[in-house]
């Protein structure tokens, strides 16, 4: 069935409104990266709640200046406030403390260094959510921006961008996110930007070794992609399995002393 952007947009907006009404919530805190996912989510939240109830946050941490410029473009376009919390000093201070633990090589630290940044960012978003909840006397939620393709192959940081209170686009492929972005008039400069994490100097697809289009095709029908690509996607999915469930021991005899 062909994806209907207008219909799905209306459904997502209603989903957000119903949840906020059910729990008498007040607003949304949203990291604005300068990429399409956060831009589309921002547009959806503004449509659902109104621009006065959405706070965008830029969180530079040795980041590209262009990302902050694109984030402001989105905030200006949808008329929601944008605040900046520069985490560069926090990250550097943390890194200095780690050097006291040992003389680790750049290669040894690479994965840890990449993943600490989204964790610092998520900590900041939750701090701001609690702060604005206290100021406004009504709950503010942290909004997730991961799409279905990223989630399927585990392209997110455990304890970082995996953490959120509401997920408006988690069931949408990259192409579907773009179609909703087109429907909501997300500026083309951001909507069609080549996706990258802003952390590793690589595009998303370079890091993954597969395209988002192939991931979407695989999820629809595994046999629609070639064997090599299929193997890569299945391996990524299997390696990420630990990100979705915490192994928890339960006593076999609940009545035991």
């Amino acid at each position: 069935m062909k994806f209907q952007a207008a219909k799905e947009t209306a459904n997502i907006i209603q989903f957000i409104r119903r949840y906020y009404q059910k729990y008498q919530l007040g607003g949304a805190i949203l990291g604005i990266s300068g990429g399409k996912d956060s831009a589309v989510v921002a547009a959806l939240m503004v449509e659902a709640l109104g621009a006065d109830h959405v706070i965008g946050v830029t969180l530079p941490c040795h980041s590209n200046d262009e990302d902050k410029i694109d984030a402001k473009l989105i905030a200006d376009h949808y008329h929601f406030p944008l605040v900046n919390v520069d985490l560069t000093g926090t990250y550097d201070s943390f890194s200095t403390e780690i050097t006291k633990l040992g003389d680790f090589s750049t290669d040894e630290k690479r994965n840890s260094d990449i993943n600490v940044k989204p964790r610092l960012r998520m900590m900041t978003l939750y701090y701001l959510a609690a702060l604005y909840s206290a100021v406004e006397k009504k709950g503010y939620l942290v909004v997730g921006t991961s799409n279905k393709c990223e989630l399927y192959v585990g392209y997110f940081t455990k304890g970082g961008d995996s953490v959120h209170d509401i997920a408006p686009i988690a069931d949408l492929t990259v192409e579907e996110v773009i179609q909703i972005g087109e429907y909501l008039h997300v500026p083309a400069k951001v909507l069609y930007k080549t996706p990258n994490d802003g952390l590793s100097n690589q595009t998303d697809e370079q890091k993954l070794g597969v395209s988002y289009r192939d991931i979407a095709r695989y999820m629809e029908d595994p046999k629609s992609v070639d064997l090599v690509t299929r193997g890569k996607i299945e391996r990524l999915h299997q390696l990420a399995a630990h990100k979705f469930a915490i192994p928890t021991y339960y006593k076999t005899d609940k009545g035991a002393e």
Side-chain angles (χ1 to χ4, degrees):
M1 181 182 296
K2 184 178 179 181
F3 182 74
Q4 300 178 54
K7 178 181 178 181
E8 289 299 335
T9 298
N11 288 343
I12 295 169
I13 290 169
Q14 282 302 111
F15 158 76
I16 295 166
R17 286 176 178 167
R18 283 196 299 268
Y19 190 81
Y20 269 74
Q21 289 166 2
K22 180 178 180 179
Y23 294 102
Q24 299 181 348
L25 298 165
I29 299 292
L30 173 64
I32 307 295
S33 67
K36 67 177 177 305
D37 289 331
S38 64
V40 170
V41 171
L44 288 165
M45 299 307 295
V46 167
E47 287 289 330
L49 306 178
D52 292 342
H53 300 286
V54 176
I55 298 173
V57 189
T58 50
L59 298 153
C61 186
H62 294 290
S63 306
N64 298 323
D65 291 339
E66 191 69 19
D67 292 340
K68 193 173 177 180
I69 292 169
D70 290 344
K72 186 176 186 305
L73 172 65
I74 296 303
D76 289 347
H77 187 75
Y78 292 107
H79 309 292
F80 61 85
L82 185 69
V83 300
N84 181 65
V85 180
D86 194 323
L87 295 173
T88 303
T90 304
Y91 174 85
D92 289 346
S93 178
F94 179 84
S95 297
T96 298
E97 290 300 310
I98 294 300
T99 63
K100 298 176 183 179
L101 303 180
D103 185 19
F104 305 111
S105 70
T106 300
D107 283 344
E108 289 170 333
K109 294 191 301 176
R110 180 173 287 108
N111 193 53
S112 296
D113 285 347
I114 287 172
N115 284 293
V116 76
K117 294 179 183 180
R119 288 170 179 146
L120 288 173
R121 287 169 173 158
M122 194 52 62
M123 175 196 70
T124 306
L125 293 178
Y126 270 95
Y127 182 96
L128 293 176
L131 177 62
Y132 281 98
S133 294
V135 170
E136 300 296 335
K137 305 295 189 288
K138 193 168 283 190
Y140 270 65
L141 299 184
V142 173
V143 187
T145 62
S146 293
N147 63 61
K148 189 174 185 177
C149 294
E150 292 172 328
L151 291 170
Y152 189 81
V153 294
Y155 189 59
F156 56 85
T157 294
K158 197 173 183 178
D161 47 342
S162 69
V163 182
H164 45 261
D165 301 315
I166 187 168
I169 63 169
D171 196 38
L172 303 179
T173 67
V174 169
E175 182 57 38
E176 290 167 347
V177 170
I178 290 173
Q179 289 183 52
I180 285 183
E182 291 170 340
Y183 179 74
L184 291 174
H185 307 293
V186 171
K189 181 177 186 288
V190 173
L191 188 62
Y192 303 120
K193 183 196 291 188
T194 301
N196 68 83
D197 61 8
L199 304 170
S200 62
N201 297 316
Q202 289 183 299
T203 69
D204 289 359
E205 294 179 340
Q206 284 174 333
K207 288 191 70 177
L208 290 169
V210 293
S211 71
Y212 282 130
R213 183 180 296 276
D214 282 339
I215 295 170
R217 289 172 56 204
Y218 174 90
M219 288 189 293
E220 182 71 23
D221 175 12
K223 294 182 179 179
S224 67
V225 298
D226 63 80
L227 283 173
V228 173
T229 301
R230 192 186 313 170
K232 289 180 180 179
I233 294 170
E234 289 172 352
R235 177 171 169 74
L236 288 168
H237 183 68
Q238 290 164 3
L239 288 174
H242 71 93
K243 295 185 177 184
F244 298 97
I246 302 299
T248 304
Y249 169 77
Y250 295 99
K251 293 179 291 185
T252 55
D253 184 356
K254 297 295 184 180
E257 292 293 332

